């Protein structure tokens, strides 16, 4: 399989129009009153070491200096969030998901293998299915799960219902969902960053998951090559869609505080990080020295040292050259 690159899953059209669409959409949201409190402690860990991180699309983002959580501060109101998801921004997003559908299937195949390590059949609930790329990947991998999908978007649910008549479609807010049975697997792919009340999401998941079930999710990882390089310029800083951006440390605390524990965690597709960082440096979106942010953090790690040592030798980039020459 070809390595996944940033441009494969973020089409040119998306890259060109995202900012413009966001500015248009959020200028309308800013007119809606937000009387949510500005938090002076972290909603996850709960440190009081909170710092302003960036203002993006008229929303302030704070960072927790202890666990690293980046969060909208104040959080957007329900009205702002509803307006956002019912704006043309959502249709635009569904459109670029459609344009990159085939490429995105590849993101899900290793995730399906991971699920199958734990469960090969039973009831699977996918939350925030959007246009169903994961559902399609499950079909292609001939999985034998009994599938249900939950999504707030009417447009997405209509499309899912037409394409997959075998799947139970729940067009509602996950937090309001009430079904009389429990699930073996609950998946939230790149969805938890959209949820203001992470605690309520985990309580709901706890309630809906069988005792031996698995909760599997993905979310942007702010403690990563691409995030440490891009920082406040990262393309995923997209309030009020993305309201909580996390890393391993925040996730671990959040789960433990809500009666879950991490069984395994991975970061896959690092080729996306490399292609994204190259792109933002080439386009001058960040300074070349941004890479230094990451190197400074990693250079003291013995694993990194070993890999770098080998890389420098292989590429003849170590600081002393030994030459063997022969007569011609
Ligand atoms: Zn924190």
């Amino acid at each position: 399989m070809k390595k996944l690159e940033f441009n494969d899953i973020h089409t040119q059209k998306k890259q060109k129009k995202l900012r413009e669409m966001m500015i248009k959409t959020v200028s309308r949201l800013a007119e809606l009153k937000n009387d949510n409190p500005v938090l002076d402690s972290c909603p996850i860990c709960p440190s009081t070491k909170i710092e302003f991180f960036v203002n993006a699309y008229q929303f302030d983002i704070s960072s927790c200096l202890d666990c690293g959580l980046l969060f909208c501060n104040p959080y957007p109101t329900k009205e702002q969030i509803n307006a956002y998801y019912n704006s043309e921004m959502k249709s635009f997003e569904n459109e670029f998901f459609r344009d990159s559908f085939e490429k995105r299937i590849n993101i899900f195949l290793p995730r399906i293998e991971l699920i199958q390590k734990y469960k090969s059949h039973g009831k699977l609930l996918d939350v925030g299915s959007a246009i169903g790329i994961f559902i399609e990947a499950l079909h292609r991998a001939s999985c034998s799960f009994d599938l249900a999908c939950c999504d707030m978007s009417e447009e997405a649910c209509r499309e899912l219902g037409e394409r997959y008549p075998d799947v139970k479609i729940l067009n509602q807010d996950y937090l309001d969902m009430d079904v009389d049975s429990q699930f073996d697997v609950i998946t939230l792919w790149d969805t938890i960053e959209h949820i203001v009340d992470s605690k309520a999401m985990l309580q709901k998941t706890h309630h809906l998951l069988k005792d031996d079930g698995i909760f599997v999710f993905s979310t942007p990882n702010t403690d990563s090559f691409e995030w440490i390089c891009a920082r406040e310029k990262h393309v995923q800083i997209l309030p009020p869609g993305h309201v909580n951006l996390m890393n391993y440390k925040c996730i671990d605390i959040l789960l433990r505080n809500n009666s879950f524990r991490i069984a395994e965690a991975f970061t896959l597709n690092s080729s996306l990080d490399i292609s994204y960082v190259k792109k933002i440096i080439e386009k001058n979106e960040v300074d070349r020295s941004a890479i230094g942010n990451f190197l400074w953090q990693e250079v003291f790690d013995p694993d990194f040292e070993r890999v770098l040592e080998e890389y420098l030798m292989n590429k003849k980039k170590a600081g002393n050259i030994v030459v063997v020459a022969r007569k011609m």
Side-chain angles (χ1 to χ4, degrees):
M1 191 161 75
K2 187 185 164 280
K3 267 196 286 185
L4 266 183
E5 296 204 353
F6 183 83
N7 285 345
D8 293 333
I9 61 166
H10 300 270
T11 59
Q12 287 302 321
K13 188 165 77 188
K14 178 202 165 183
Q15 292 185 47
K16 265 196 212 110
K17 285 195 70 183
L18 177 74
R19 229 189 119 67
E20 184 192 316
M21 289 288 299
M22 279 296 289
I23 289 168
K24 207 163 88 185
T25 308
V26 294
S27 65
R28 272 179 236 135
L29 304 187
E31 290 162 18
L32 298 170
K33 208 168 133 226
N34 185 348
D35 41 25
N36 280 340
V38 175
L39 302 180
D40 53 13
S41 63
C42 172
I44 288 187
C45 80
S47 164
T48 51
K49 289 186 210 146
I50 301 302
E51 233 176 36
F52 171 78
F53 184 70
V54 70
N55 179 282
Y57 304 113
Q58 307 188 32
F59 287 89
D60 277 349
I61 312 284
S62 291
S63 79
C64 168
L65 300 185
D66 278 319
C67 73
L69 175 74
L70 299 178
F71 60 103
C72 258
N73 198 11
Y75 280 120
T77 61
K78 266 202 163 160
E79 291 70 36
Q80 287 179 319
I81 293 173
N82 283 338
Y84 179 74
Y85 287 113
N86 288 304
S87 68
E88 60 268 68
M89 189 58 210
K90 195 65 217 169
S91 316
F92 171 67
E93 201 175 61
N94 284 341
E95 197 185 309
F96 75 69
F97 279 147
R98 234 171 263 127
D99 291 344
S100 55
F101 196 94
E102 284 303 319
K103 299 275 166 67
R104 285 176 183 266
I105 292 271
N106 295 331
I107 296 178
F108 288 106
L109 298 175
R111 297 178 182 182
I112 292 173
E113 271 176 40
L114 176 65
I115 292 171
Q116 286 180 320
K117 248 173 66 182
Y118 293 86
K119 300 276 172 194
S120 55
H121 59 276
K123 288 162 71 89
L124 185 153
L125 169 68
D126 181 47
V127 181
S129 305
I131 61 159
I133 306 174
F134 174 56
I135 303 302
E136 177 63 25
L138 284 170
H139 279 84
R140 289 196 197 174
S142 309
C143 289
S144 49
F145 289 107
D146 178 9
L147 294 176
C149 294
C150 172
D151 200 284
M152 280 168 89
S153 156
E154 250 177 67
E155 183 189 324
C157 284
R158 202 173 34 245
E159 207 180 304
L160 283 172
E162 284 164 15
R163 214 155 11 105
Y164 308 106
D166 56 322
V167 176
K168 184 173 182 183
I169 313 286
L170 302 148
N171 181 200
Q172 62 189 135
D173 186 337
Y174 178 52
L175 298 183
D176 299 331
M177 201 180 121
D178 202 16
V179 287
D180 44 19
S181 57
Q182 288 181 308
F183 295 90
D184 297 277
V185 183
I186 297 181
T187 53
L188 277 88
W189 304 120
D190 295 289
T191 299
I192 67 166
E193 63 274 21
H194 295 262
I195 299 174
V196 170
D197 192 346
S198 315
K199 195 176 165 180
M201 177 273 292
L202 287 169
Q203 283 171 347
K204 176 58 81 178
T205 306
H206 207 274
H207 175 69
L208 292 175
L209 192 66
K210 287 185 185 170
D211 285 344
D212 66 342
I214 55 166
F215 168 39
V216 191
F217 62 95
S218 60
T219 193
N221 171 23
T222 57
D223 187 16
S224 60
F225 180 47
E226 61 173 49
W227 272 88
I228 294 166
C229 293
R231 286 188 175 171
E232 73 284 353
K233 291 183 181 139
H234 199 288
V235 67
Q236 301 255 35
I237 297 179
L238 291 173
H242 291 175
V243 291
N244 286 309
L245 291 158
M246 306 188 194
N247 57 40
Y248 185 92
K249 192 174 175 184
C250 331
I251 292 168
D252 187 41
I253 297 169
L254 180 65
L255 290 179
R256 276 192 283 113
N257 287 344
N258 290 283
S259 314
F260 281 101
R261 63 176 177 84
I262 296 178
E264 282 187 281
F266 304 92
T267 71
L268 303 167
N269 301 118
S270 51
S271 56
L272 288 174
D273 285 59
I274 296 169
S275 56
Y276 177 60
V277 171
K278 275 159 69 178
K279 179 192 98 83
I280 56 179
I281 288 178
E282 274 158 18
K283 297 203 164 178
N284 290 319
E285 290 170 31
V286 297
D287 198 76
R288 297 170 73 116
S289 63
I291 285 191
N293 299 335
F294 180 78
L295 290 180
W296 270 116
Q297 187 173 306
E298 296 306 306
V299 79
F300 301 104
D301 183 318
D303 288 340
F304 183 76
E305 249 177 56
R306 262 194 301 279
V307 173
L308 182 62
E309 219 178 281
E310 205 180 308
Y311 177 85
L312 294 177
M313 281 196 294
N314 290 342
K315 294 284 178 179
K316 299 186 180 54
K317 292 207 173 171
N320 180 274
I321 187 162
V322 177
V323 180
V324 178
R326 291 182 79 159
K327 233 171 143 174
M328 280 184 69

